């Protein structure tokens, strides 16, 4: 049986796929928003002088990094309801999974960036009377944040692609939408190709935006 | 103004300071010299509590910095520090570097802080560089900004930790010139340096620290012309040409 490539199928499925892509964007933006907060929090906790605080952050990072996201998603969506008799809406569960997952990786990005700032900066801040928190806020963080941008961009792209795994818990994001179309028209080649192209467009947009941000935040003279 | 009594400091098992005693009066310029690794920078960093003293007493403006109830952030603003490697904030303009302390620590408004900042930059000869970033400046210019930043809090004393050691030789003079001017104006200064000419010309007293204690504490004339202490003789023989 000869294979016939039918570009028309791609065109036809685009409107529906874009609806799925919309959910993909919500999952990514929501997940990364909370993921960045978690990452900043746990990243700084890992640098705490207090041993238990460091350990708590370390436990979170190791546990999340060390288990597959698919397992986490299925545990949260199918496993926990067995114990508690209550299931979160799929979108909420999806955002939580992306947030908790990206948060663990972002924590390491934050820790590395903050540690890379010369100790002389902290000393200079303290020497003019700023307290530790002010020194972090006005001196260390703004410099560290610039160093976070390239690895953050990487993580944003990874998290966007990871949303496709959430099809397993029934979130109608891009890949699941494609799957549903294929179930009806059996045009796996065209539909998954279209899905891939839409993912590529989205990841390239992230890269582009981050490049612009990086350029605008560049320190003069460096 | 600054009173250091029986200061001890150990890093792990290495005892760097073994009972340092220094008194610095208001308006005095005290220069500390000594071989590298003798602990002279550590003394300065203990005054600012950038290093935690192991034992001893340090009074800055009559505040005991070892006392837990002392607000160390407040004490630091009375004895600010100029570092060997400048440690300017690279993401801020020169003027922002100078105004950060007055605004965030002293609670001064932007307008007032900028006014003080501009006049201090003029004082160190950098009035035209206010909107530049640190990385656009030469080493000598950076260190002069750092001095302006330290002055901006209107401290009672300034601590200089080898302020010219990281500079190209031709840039040392412009920094020393600013420091001389401060000394003339009556600023209390503690200066760790290898610049013997500066010590001779500007210091009220010169201290020789070696093996973790103050070995010699004399006015510059006696210090340089009649060094009785054998290790000081040896040290001066090596650094003064």
């Amino acid at each position: 049986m000869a294979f016939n490539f039918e570009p028309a199928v791609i065109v036809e499925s685009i409107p529906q796929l874009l609806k799925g892509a919309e959910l993909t964007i919500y999952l990514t933006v929501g997940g990364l928003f909370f993921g960045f907060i978690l990452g900043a929090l746990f990243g700084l906790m890992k640098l705490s002088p207090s041993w238990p605080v460091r350990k708590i952050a370390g436990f979170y990072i190791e546990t999340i990094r060390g288990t597959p996201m698919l397992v986490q998603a299925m545990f949260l969506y199918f496993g926990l309801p067995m114990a508690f008799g209550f299931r979160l809406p799929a979108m909420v569960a999806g955002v939580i999974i992306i947030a908790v997952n990206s948060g663990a990786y972002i924590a390491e990005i934050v820790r590395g960036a903050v540690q890379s700032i010369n100790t002389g900066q902290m000393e200079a801040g303290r020497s003019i009377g700023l307290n530790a928190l002010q020194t972090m806020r006005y001196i260390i963080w703004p410099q560290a944040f610039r160093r976070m941008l390239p690895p953050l961009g990487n993580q944003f792209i990874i998290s966007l692609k990871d949303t496709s795994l959430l099809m397993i818990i029934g979130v109608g994001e891009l890949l699941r939408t494609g799957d549903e179309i294929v179930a009806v028209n059996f045009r796996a080649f065209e539909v998954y190709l279209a899905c891939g192209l839409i993912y590529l467009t989205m990841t390239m947009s992230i890269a582009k935006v981050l490049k612009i941000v990086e350029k605008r935040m560049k320190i003069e003279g460096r | 103004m600054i009173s250091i009594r029986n200061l001890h400091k150990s890093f792990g098992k290495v005892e760097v300071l073994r009972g340092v005693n220094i008194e610095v009066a208001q308006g005095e310029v005290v220069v500390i010299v000594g071989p590298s690794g003798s602990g002279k920078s550590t003394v300065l960093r203990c005054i600012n509590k950038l290093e935690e003293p192991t034992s001893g007493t340090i009074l800055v403006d009559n505040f005991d910095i070892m006392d837990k109830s002392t607000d160390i952030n407040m004490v630091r603003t009375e004895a600010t520090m100029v570092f060997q490697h400048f440690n300017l904030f690279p993401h801020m303009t020169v003027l922002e570097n100078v105004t950060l302390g007055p605004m965030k620590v002293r609670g001064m408004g932007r307008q007032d802080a900028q006014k003080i900042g501009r006049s201090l930059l003029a004082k160190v000869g950098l009035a035209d560089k206010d909107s530049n970033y640190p990385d656009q400046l030469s080493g000598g210019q950076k260190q002069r900004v750092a001095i302006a930043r330290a002055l901006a809090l209107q401290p009672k004393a300034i601590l200089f930790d080898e302020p010219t050691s990281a500079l190209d030789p031709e840039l040392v003079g412009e920094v020393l010139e600013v420091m001389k001017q401060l000394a003339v104006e009556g600023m209390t200064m503690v200066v760790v340096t290898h610049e013997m000419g500066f010590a001779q010309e500007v210091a009220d007293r010169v201290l020789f620290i070696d093996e973790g204690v103050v070995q010699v504490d004399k006015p510059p004339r006696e210090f340089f012309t009649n060094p009785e202490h054998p290790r000081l003789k040896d040290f001066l023989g090596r650094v003064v040409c």
Side-chain angles (χ1 to χ4, degrees):
Chain A
M1 192 181 92
F3 171 68
N4 275 324
F5 178 53
E6 290 184 30
V9 174
I10 296 183
V11 178
E12 278 164 28
S13 57
I14 285 282
Q16 207 182 334
L17 287 177
L18 285 181
K19 283 222 172 81
E22 198 183 333
L23 285 196
T24 295
I25 290 170
Y26 294 154
L27 287 165
T28 308
V29 172
L32 287 174
F33 174 78
F34 293 110
F36 186 75
I37 293 172
L38 286 176
L41 187 71
F42 284 100
L44 293 176
M45 278 170 69
K46 256 215 126 174
L47 295 169
S48 163
S50 149
W51 184 85
V53 171
R54 281 200 309 275
K55 283 291 151 192
I56 291 170
F59 176 77
Y60 163 68
I61 294 167
E62 293 306 324
T63 316
I64 297 302
R65 263 198 330 195
T67 53
M69 197 177 106
L70 206 47
V71 174
Q72 295 160 15
M74 293 174 85
F75 181 74
L76 177 72
Y77 193 69
F78 300 117
L80 284 185
M82 297 212 63
F84 300 106
F86 166 74
R87 177 171 286 169
L88 290 166
M91 265 310 267
V92 175
V95 168
I96 290 175
I97 290 299
I98 297 292
V100 168
N101 214 272
S102 64
Y105 291 95
I106 292 172
E108 286 293 79
I109 293 172
V110 168
R111 181 183 64 81
V114 169
Q115 265 178 333
S116 77
I117 304 299
N118 193 307
T119 52
Q121 292 290 309
M122 177 59 90
E123 290 182 352
R126 301 308 302 272
S127 82
I128 57 169
L130 298 173
N131 62 36
L133 210 64
Q134 287 175 315
T135 308
M136 178 55 74
R137 177 171 165 200
Y138 298 116
I139 296 168
I140 308 296
W141 184 265
Q143 295 181 60
F145 185 71
R146 289 172 169 87
R147 291 193 189 172
M148 288 173 211
L149 284 174
L152 273 182
N154 206 18
Q155 182 59 44
F156 288 179
I157 287 169
I158 290 171
S159 288
L160 184 136
K161 293 187 297 180
D162 278 353
T163 59
S164 63
L165 295 173
L166 296 170
M167 71 182 285
I168 203 77
I169 60 168
V171 178
E173 43 67 62
L174 177 52
L175 183 58
R176 183 165 179 110
T177 308
D179 216 39
E180 283 163 1
I181 297 173
V182 173
V184 175
N185 67 8
F186 303 107
R187 303 301 307 188
F189 184 93
E190 289 84 355
V191 175
Y192 291 138
L193 180 66
C195 285
L197 288 173
I198 296 174
Y199 277 116
L200 188 61
T201 311
M202 292 193 288
T203 52
M204 281 170 59
S205 307
I206 292 180
K208 189 105 197 159
V209 168
L210 266 132
K211 200 159 243 170
I212 294 168
V213 173
E214 227 176 289
K215 207 168 194 170
R216 288 188 58 163
M217 290 195 76
K218 193 178 170 321
I219 296 168
E220 275 181 59
R222 289 228 140 170
Chain B
M1 177 64 226
I2 297 169
S3 179
I4 302 170
R5 288 169 209 158
N6 201 23
L7 173 64
H8 287 256
K9 172 68 187 174
S10 303
F11 292 100
K13 283 187 181 150
V14 186
E15 193 175 32
V16 179
L17 302 179
R18 310 160 186 231
V20 170
N21 294 287
I22 302 174
E23 297 289 327
V24 182
Q26 178 96 45
E28 213 174 9
V29 177
V30 171
V31 170
I32 302 176
V33 301
S36 57
S38 59
K40 45 195 198 310
S41 285
T42 307
V43 173
L44 219 57
R45 292 166 60 80
C46 282
I47 298 174
N48 216 298
K49 229 181 175 188
L50 291 177
E51 302 289 355
E52 186 78 32
T54 307
S55 69
T57 312
I58 299 178
L59 302 179
V60 177
D61 195 24
N62 286 324
F63 288 100
D64 181 356
I65 70 157
M66 302 288 277
D67 187 340
K68 291 264 177 282
S69 67
T70 301
D71 177 3
I72 188 65
N73 296 320
M74 191 274 296
V75 175
R76 282 182 177 135
T77 64
E78 298 303 344
T80 51
M81 189 110 165
V82 173
F83 300 88
Q84 179 177 359
H85 295 288
F86 330 126
N87 297 349
L88 293 179
F89 310 132
H91 59 301
M92 296 180 181
T93 65
V94 164
L95 186 61
E96 284 165 351
N97 264 273
V98 179
T99 56
L100 185 70
M103 284 170 64
K104 300 301 173 195
V105 179
R106 296 274 195 242
M108 203 179 276
R110 183 178 296 273
Q111 303 270 316
D112 293 337
Q114 290 191 341
K115 213 163 123 191
I116 290 180
R118 287 217 167 80
S119 76
L120 286 172
L121 287 175
K123 186 188 174 98
V124 299
L126 293 170
D128 56 332
K129 298 287 184 194
D130 60 350
S131 53
N132 282 90
Y133 283 80
D135 288 327
Q136 298 169 319
L137 305 181
S138 72
Q141 291 172 330
K142 281 184 199 171
Q143 196 60 299
R144 285 186 281 151
V145 172
I147 293 173
R149 178 176 71 181
L151 283 170
L153 289 143
Q154 295 165 308
K156 297 202 168 82
I158 299 191
L159 314 171
F160 292 86
D161 186 7
E162 305 204 23
T164 57
S165 298
L167 297 177
D168 292 337
E170 77 270 22
L171 302 176
V172 170
E174 63 189 64
V175 172
L176 292 181
E177 211 44 58
V178 170
M179 290 169 63
K180 262 181 227 172
Q181 189 194 335
L182 288 180
V184 169
E185 290 168 8
M187 176 58 82
T188 309
M189 295 161 65
V190 182
V191 187
V192 170
T193 187
H194 295 288
E195 294 294 327
M196 296 303 155
F198 177 82
Q200 238 159 344
E201 195 182 335
V202 182
D204 294 305
R205 277 158 52 214
V206 186
L207 274 54
F208 176 62
I209 291 189
D210 191 22
E211 297 191 315
V213 290
V214 177
Q215 306 275 7
V216 180
D217 179 349
K218 283 185 174 156
R221 183 181 294 249
E222 282 175 63
F223 186 94
F224 288 105
T225 53
N226 191 18
E228 286 159 8
H229 196 286
R231 294 191 69 105
L232 174 57
K233 236 184 230 172
D234 182 46
F235 174 72
L236 289 178
R238 275 182 285 122
V239 293
V240 182
C241 307

